[in-house]
Amino acid sequence: MSYKLVIVESPSKAKTIEKYLGKEYRVIASKGHIMDLPKKDLGVNIDDDFKLDLIPIEGKEETIKMIKELSQNATVIYLATDPDREGEAISLHIKDILPKDKKTYRVKFNAITKEEINKAIKNPKELDLLMCDSQKTRRVLDRLVGFKISPILCNKIARGLSAGRVQSVALRIIVEREDEIRKFVPEKSFEINLK
C-alpha cells in the first residue's frame, strides 16, 4: 500500500498533523537530529573545506531504520522539520539517508493548524542549502572552539566546564576590556569656554 510520507521532528506534532492530512499520508517524527559529529574525534576536516564526519547519533538507530523502511513505499516524501537552520539541517540529513529516486520536498509551517499544514503541503519547496550551510558553520565553530578548549578547562580549572563559540569570545572581550580599565591612567583635564 503506497502513501505520502511526512517527516517532522516532534512525535506529538506527528499525531496532530497525520489527523489533519488524512489516510493517504503517514507522518513520523525524527525526534530531532539523526546525525552529528563523533563525540571522541574532532570530526571536522580542516584541510578538506571543513568537511564534516557525520555519523548516526547513538540511540537513533531505530528512528533511522523506520525512516528508511517507510520511505520505500512512499510515493512522495515531505520533509517538515522546524522552519529554522537546525530544522533545515535535519531535513538535509534525512534526505541523505533516503532512496535517491524518491521525490522529496521541503515544507514549512509556523502553526500546527489544518489550514497551515495543507497550505504547506500544496506549496512544497526545495531545501534551503544556505540555511544548511549556516547550521554547518555554527556546528564547525562549536567543535573547533569547544573540542580543543573544553579539555583544558576541565584539567586546569574544574571538571565539567566547557567552552563554546560564544562564551569563549565573550570572555576574551571581557578580559581585554578589564585589562584596558586597569592600564588606564586618569589625567586631569579642563575645558575653558570664552564668549
Side-chain angles (χ1 to χ4, degrees):
M1 181 181 178
S2 62
Y3 45 79
K4 296 174 183 175
L5 182 63
V6 179
I7 304 171
V8 297
E9 286 183 55
S10 161
S12 60
K13 285 181 186 175
K15 291 176 186 172
T16 305
I17 292 168
E18 191 167 69
K19 184 176 71 177
Y20 289 154
L21 290 174
K23 293 179 181 174
E24 65 184 279
Y25 289 87
R26 294 282 307 267
V27 184
I28 59 171
S30 70
K31 301 173 191 162
H33 283 276
I34 60 166
M35 308 291 279
D36 198 8
L37 297 170
K39 288 185 177 180
K40 300 201 185 274
D41 295 319
L42 184 61
V44 178
N45 188 337
I46 298 167
D47 299 323
D48 187 13
D49 199 29
F50 295 92
K51 186 177 177 189
L52 302 183
D53 177 23
L54 294 172
I55 60 170
I57 294 174
E58 193 176 317
K60 290 292 182 112
E61 297 84 7
E62 283 302 311
T63 301
I64 292 170
K65 182 180 172 189
M66 177 183 63
I67 290 170
K68 286 180 176 181
E69 286 175 359
L70 289 173
S71 68
Q72 295 300 322
N73 293 325
T75 56
V76 64
I77 300 168
Y78 296 100
L79 303 170
T81 52
D82 292 350
D84 56 18
R85 67 181 173 194
E86 293 299 321
E88 210 70 25
I90 293 168
S91 283
L92 179 63
H93 299 158
I94 292 170
K95 185 175 181 178
D96 287 344
I97 67 165
L98 295 173
K100 302 299 176 212
D101 62 332
K102 292 291 177 179
K103 281 194 253 176
T104 306
Y105 299 104
R106 177 75 166 108
V107 293
K108 296 181 185 182
F109 37 82
N110 293 312
I112 310 298
T113 64
K114 190 171 186 174
E115 183 182 339
E116 280 287 317
I117 304 299
N118 284 313
K119 183 178 163 188
I121 293 291
K122 288 176 185 168
N123 298 291
K125 310 275 187 236
E126 295 295 320
L127 274 168
D128 184 339
L129 296 179
L130 290 176
M131 280 186 78
C132 293
D133 285 345
S134 170
Q135 189 275 343
K136 176 185 173 184
T137 302
R138 185 196 63 77
R139 194 68 188 99
V140 166
L141 286 171
D142 278 344
R143 185 50 65 105
L144 293 179
V145 174
F147 194 79
K148 294 182 176 185
I149 297 175
S150 294
I152 296 168
L153 290 175
C154 286
N155 290 335
K156 303 286 183 191
I157 299 175
R159 290 196 55 73
L161 288 179
S162 65
R165 71 187 188 290
V166 175
Q167 63 264 45
S168 298
V169 175
L171 181 60
R172 180 177 176 161
I173 291 169
I174 291 168
V175 169
E176 287 175 351
R177 184 69 180 129
E178 184 62 28
D179 285 346
E180 286 177 21
I181 290 169
R182 288 183 182 180
K183 290 176 186 172
F184 178 73
V185 178
E187 295 178 7
K188 287 186 178 181
S189 63
F190 301 93
E191 187 175 306
I192 300 172
N193 293 314
L194 298 172
K195 291 188 183 186

